[in-house]
Every structure is written in structure tokens, then in C-alpha cells.
Amino acid sequence: MAVPDGIVTNDDLSATLDTTDEWIFERTGIRERRVGGSAGSLGLAAATAALADAGLAATDIDFVLLATTTPDNLIPATAPTIAANLGIRAPAMDLNAACSGFMYALRVAEGLTATGVGRILVIGAENLSRWTDWNDRTMAVLLGDGAGACVVEASTGPSDVLAFDLGSEGDYAHLLSCEHGGTIWMDGKEVFRRAVRIMVDSAERAMSQAQVSADQLSLVIPHQANIRIIQAACQRLGVPMERAVVVLDRYGNTSSASIPLAVADARSQQRVHPGDLVLMTGFGAGMTWASAVVRWSK
Ligand code: COA
């Protein structure tokens, strides 16, 4: 993972906005967020860390997939630049499924392994601060910058990915959007309402497909948008909050980076062990959603 050094606390925001640390923490669970860098620079740092952690070199990577809603430019995609900076000359492309982006990228990576691609570097990186109206208290308190990455490897035995559930409902595109050159806008209440239902339904479909029950899950790694969404989803799924990974207090909502940031945190806290069954589930603008049940390998 990689996050910029710049920390913006709730108190920092309340110095310029009509808000308070108490309101933000109670309504969202967020205490502070990181601000700075770019999808390219943060993605590169996270990818470098992932390669080191996996003990792999640039030449071991056959494909680079960057999930982002905030690419450095409209053209070219940011992934080829990250790849070049790593010394990788393999295919590289961006993928945008908003906050579900990292999960969508994992699904694409799994599909690529089925076509004979050996190792895929999957990155989620965001620079949401660039598209945030810092005078809008309803959005500024929610978002942050960051990146996470992993390497997906084809295996000869049964897949460690037991099930995926992905989907979209484009009829609700208007609920969360950002026009070219604009700033991010959201109907928070409606997104909240839909998010809980979408996440629970998707997670249940993935669990049913994997034939895994809630009590068999060692960990739930949800998209980090709002602690109240995570609490409501966990309650409906029958998973105690102690088994949910929460990093939004430190990073806010980092869209495509949120699930890999949470994965990195769970690993650094030794909360996942080989053989554990883990549910990852997210939702985002589009609206999109994606869940996976995986068996942790290492
Ligand atoms: N500080 C203080 N007051 C604020 C505020 C802030 N930062 N933002 C909004 N308010 C005010 C509102 O103006 C409103 O005031 P009013 O009652 O006088 O009209 C009041 O607080 C309640 O606002 P409301 O929007 O009803 O709050 P909420 O409980 O729905 O919480 C969100 C707002 C955005 C935190 C919540 O709706 C949410 O998290 N939505 C989903 C967000 C999400 O998941 N987005 C990412 C999708 S990937």
C-alpha cells in the first residue's frame, strides 16, 4: 500500500468548513484522510511494495491492471506509465468501475489467468482530492487519496478464489457523479440506502456460490465508505464487527484503493492466515458492485 504523507484531520476541515470532528466521526467513522500525490505516483509506490512483498521482479509480470476513477490524464491511461516506471513492458491498462474497481480488476485478472496469462499486477489507486470541492462539506469530509496493489498468480490446483459476484445498475448513475473538469457530487442519503442492500445481496450471492456461511468467514474486507454502512451490512450478514476490517478512520473513502488498503492493513496486523475464508465486498458509482469469497493462500 501507499498513502501520501499529507494528513488532513477533521479539525483541519472544521477550520474552513461549517462542520465538526464530532459530526464527521459520528456520521461516517472518519477521523482523518491522506491528501496528495497522483494515481500514477501512489499506484507506482504500492506496486513497488507489492512486488517486493511477493519477491518478484518486473520481468515476472505479464499484465498490469490499474483500477482508478482518477487517472492522471484522460489520455494516455496511467497503467502504462506505472508499468514503464517499474521496468515492465507487458500489456497495461486502466479500468474504471468506481469504488468497485479493485474487485472488478481482480475478476478480470482471474479471467486473464484462464487465458494463460501467468501473473497480473493489480493496482487500485486514487487521487480523489483533485476532484473534490473543498468548500463542499458534504463531500470534502468523505474522500481521501491512496493506493494498494497485489499480484494475482495462476495456480495449477483449485483456485483460491471460490466465488465472484459482480453487477451494475446504470439507472442510478445520477446518484454519484463527476463531469469532465467538475467535482464529485453525490446524493448521500440515497447512495447510503442502496449501498447497504447492494452489498448484502452481492455478498450473499458470492457466499452461496462458494457454499460458505457467515460463521465460516474469518474476515470481511468491505469497501470503506462509511462505518454505518459497514455496520449495517455486517449485521444483516450475521458477521460480528470484530471480523470486519476498518481503515476508513485513517484514510476516508479512497474508492478503488479502499479494499486493497484494508487488505494491506489486515496483513500487517496478522489478521489473515493461510486457509482463512475471506469475503471482500464493495459498491460504487455506476452503480456498480462486486464481491468475492477467497481462501487466503499467503
Ligand atoms: N458537517 C456538518 N453537517 C453536515 C455535514 C458536515 N460535513 N454534511 C451534511 N451536514 C448536514 C446536512 O446539511 C443536514 O442538515 P439539515 O438537517 O439541516 O438539512 C444534516 O447534516 C444531515 O445530513 P444528511 O445528508 O441527512 O446526513 P446523513 O446522516 O445522511 O450523512 C453522509 C451524510 C454523506 C455521511 C451519508 O449519507 C453517507 O455516508 N452516504 C453514503 C456515502 C457513500 O457511501 N458514498 C460513497 C459511495 S462509493
Side-chain angles (χ1 to χ4, degrees):
M1 60 162 280
V3 287
D5 293 333
I7 298 176
V8 176
T9 65
N10 291 348
D11 285 336
D12 292 335
L13 289 176
S14 48
T16 54
L17 294 171
D18 182 14
T19 191
T20 59
D21 173 49
E22 193 187 11
W23 191 96
I24 301 169
F25 186 68
E26 260 177 26
R27 307 309 291 163
T28 70
I30 299 167
R31 285 270 188 222
E32 60 187 41
R33 68 285 298 142
R34 299 299 183 103
V35 171
S38 64
S41 65
L42 295 168
L44 174 63
T48 305
L51 287 179
D53 186 69
L56 295 171
T59 48
D60 295 320
I61 299 301
D62 305 303
F63 210 107
V64 179
L65 266 177
L66 170 67
T68 186
T69 53
T70 53
D72 293 357
N73 295 292
L74 210 49
I75 300 171
T78 305
T81 307
I82 293 178
N85 283 319
L86 289 166
I88 297 172
R89 302 191 72 81
M93 68 174 198
D94 292 1
L95 179 159
N96 179 354
C99 300
S100 312
F102 184 78
M103 299 302 298
Y104 266 63
L106 280 185
R107 177 73 179 99
V108 172
E110 192 210 32
L112 286 169
T113 63
T115 69
V117 179
R119 287 195 195 93
I120 303 106
L121 178 57
V122 180
I123 309 162
E126 298 286 2
N127 179 212
L128 296 170
S129 64
R130 185 174 159 194
W131 305 98
T132 301
D133 177 354
W134 289 96
N135 294 312
D136 174 4
R137 67 176 182 176
T138 65
M139 289 308 306
V141 302
L142 302 175
L143 308 174
D145 300 332
C150 71
V151 179
V152 172
E153 188 174 48
S155 63
T156 47
S159 176
D160 289 323
V161 183
L162 305 185
F164 264 118
D165 176 75
L166 272 70
S168 73
E169 262 179 325
D171 300 338
Y172 301 103
H174 58 283
L175 294 182
L176 176 43
S177 62
C178 180
E179 292 172 7
H180 286 295
T183 51
I184 302 167
W185 180 89
M186 171 176 70
D187 178 344
K189 264 200 184 323
E190 193 55 24
V191 170
F192 190 112
R193 215 173 57 79
R194 293 195 170 275
V196 176
R197 182 180 54 77
I198 279 174
M199 224 157 83
V200 170
D201 288 353
S202 173
E204 281 179 343
R205 281 191 296 268
M207 285 158 64
S208 154
Q209 197 188 317
Q211 297 185 310
V212 165
S213 59
D215 56 320
Q216 289 177 289
L217 293 172
S218 301
L219 218 52
V220 175
I221 305 183
H223 171 48
Q224 310 281 311
N226 185 316
I227 190 71
R228 292 186 292 137
I229 293 178
I230 297 175
Q231 285 164 341
C234 281
Q235 191 191 9
R236 292 190 197 181
L237 287 170
V239 178
M241 270 303 282
E242 301 80 65
R243 281 195 258 146
V245 180
V246 176
V247 297
L248 60 81
D249 52 323
R250 284 160 279 160
Y251 305 128
N253 182 347
T254 57
S255 192
S256 300
S258 103
I259 287 183
L261 278 176
V263 169
D265 189 76
R267 288 185 76 226
S268 73
Q269 305 285 322
Q270 282 148 15
R271 292 182 69 186
V272 273
H273 310 99
D276 282 356
L277 292 171
V278 175
L279 167 70
M280 297 189 274
T281 180
F283 63 92
M287 292 189 73
T288 59
W289 63 84
S291 302
V293 177
V294 303
R295 182 178 292 112
W296 216 257
S297 54
K298 58 185 171 182

